[in-house]
Amino acid sequence: DTAVSQTPKYLVTQMGNDKSIKCEQNLGHDTMYWYKQDSKKFLKIMFSYNNKELIINETVPNRFSPKSPDKAHLNLHINSLELGDSAVYFCASSQVSGGTQETQYFGPGTRLLVL
Amino acid sequence: AQKVTQAQTEISVVEKEDVTLDCVYETRDTTYYLFWYKQPPSGELVFLIRRNSFDEQNEISGRYSWNFQKSTSSFNFTITASQVVDSAVYFCALSEGDNYGQNFVFGPGTRLSVLP
C-alpha cells in the first residue's frame, strides 16, 4: 500500500565502509530522485532518474552512485563513507508528462549516521 | 537562477491562533510550479499543495489556505485555528516548467510550533 518506500530506515556505520539504500515506488511514476537533508533541515536534490537515464547529477562526490534496475527502483550506493555523509536521505518519485513537473512524493527517509 | 525564500525560521503560536507562513520565490520562467510540503517530527515529507503559475486562484482545504500572488512572487500558507498536530517544519518549493525535476528547489523551511 506504501507509495514510496525506502530501506533501511536507520543506518549506522563506520567511516570508510560502503553502503546502499534502496528505494521502490508503486505509483507507476517515470522519474525518481534522491535528496539529502542535512542537520539544518536543508533539502538538496542529488540525482534524478527518468526511464533508466540519469537526468541530473548535482555536484555530489562520485562516491555516491545511483543505480536503477527498473523504473520502479532507484538505489543509492555510497562508497568510502565519510563523517559528513551523515544526514537523512529521501527518495522521491513523480510523473513527468511532456515536460511538466508533477508533484514529487517522498519516501520516509533513511537516517544515515557515520561514526 | 531560481530561489525560494522562507524568511520565518521559527514561529510559535498558541493553539487556535491563525498563522501565516511566508514564501517568496524567484524565477525567470513564465511557467513554473509551486508546492508546499509538511515535515512533522516523525520526519516524513507530506505533500500539501501544488499550484501552477497560470492559476492564481487561492485555495482552501479545511483549515489550510494558500494565497498565490504573482505580483509579489509570493505563495503564502495560512493555517486557521491551529492545532498541536500542525507542529512541523513546512517547506515551500519551486519547480520551473522544464523537464524532469531538474530545477526543483526547496526553501529552507519554517518550523512551526503550536503550543497547547
Side-chain angles (χ1 to χ4, degrees), chain A residues 4 14 34 45 58 64 89 91 95 102 105 109 113:
Chain A
V4 183
Q14 299 284 339
W34 278 104
I45 193 164
E58 292 290 319
F64 290 79
Y89 293 84
C91 176
Q95 181 65 30
E102 299 293 331
Y105 292 92
L113 178 60

Side-chain angles (χ1 to χ4, degrees), chain B residues 100-115:
Chain B
Y100 312 130
Q102 183 172 356
N103 295 314
F104 201 100
V105 172
F106 279 85
T110 296
R111 183 181 298 278
L112 173 65
S113 298
V114 181
L115 308 173

Side-chain angles (χ1 to χ4, degrees), chain B:
Chain B
Q2 63 187 120
K3 186 177 174 182
V4 177
T5 301
Q6 295 179 255
Q8 304 146 309
T9 307
E10 294 191 36
I11 301 175
S12 286
V13 299
V14 177
E15 210 170 16
K16 297 185 184 176
E17 284 185 10
D18 298 347
V19 58
T20 295
L21 309 182
D22 297 334
C23 173
V24 174
Y25 61 92
E26 292 178 29
T27 178
R28 293 181 180 177
D29 272 21
T30 54
T31 301
Y32 53 89
Y33 302 85
L34 295 161
F35 304 80
W36 276 94
Y37 286 83
K38 174 183 179 180
Q39 188 172 38
S42 51
E44 71 271 26
L45 280 159
V46 179
F47 164 74
L48 296 178
I49 191 171
R50 171 181 181 263
R51 173 68 73 219
N52 75 54
S53 52
F54 299 109
D55 182 3
E56 285 193 74
Q57 252 189 334
N58 291 330
E59 178 147 343
I60 298 175
S61 176
R63 296 183 297 106
Y64 294 172
S65 62
W66 290 270
N67 184 357
F68 176 28
Q69 291 198 338
K70 287 176 77 169
S71 60
T72 55
S73 297
S74 65
F75 186 43
N76 297 337
F77 173 31
T78 297
I79 303 175
T80 303
S82 59
Q83 300 176 1
V84 172
V85 293
D86 296 328
S87 297
V89 180
Y90 290 86
F91 293 96
C92 181
L94 166 69
S95 175
E96 291 173 341
D98 55 10
N99 55 339
Y100 312 130
Q102 183 172 356
N103 295 314
F104 201 100
V105 172
F106 279 85
T110 296
R111 183 181 298 278
L112 173 65
S113 298
V114 181
L115 308 173

Side-chain angles (χ1 to χ4, degrees), chain A residues 66-114:
Chain A
K67 299 192 192 313
S68 181
D70 54 61
K71 77 173 189 179
H73 296 85
L74 182 65
N75 303 325
L76 182 65
H77 190 75
I78 315 169
N79 289 327
S80 303
L81 278 156
E82 300 177 356
L83 295 176
D85 297 333
S86 296
V88 180
Y89 293 84
F90 285 97
C91 176
S93 74
S94 72
Q95 181 65 30
V96 179
S97 314
T100 300
Q101 174 59 58
E102 299 293 331
T103 300
Q104 294 190 10
Y105 292 92
F106 286 78
T110 295
R111 286 144 187 82
L112 171 65
L113 178 60
V114 182

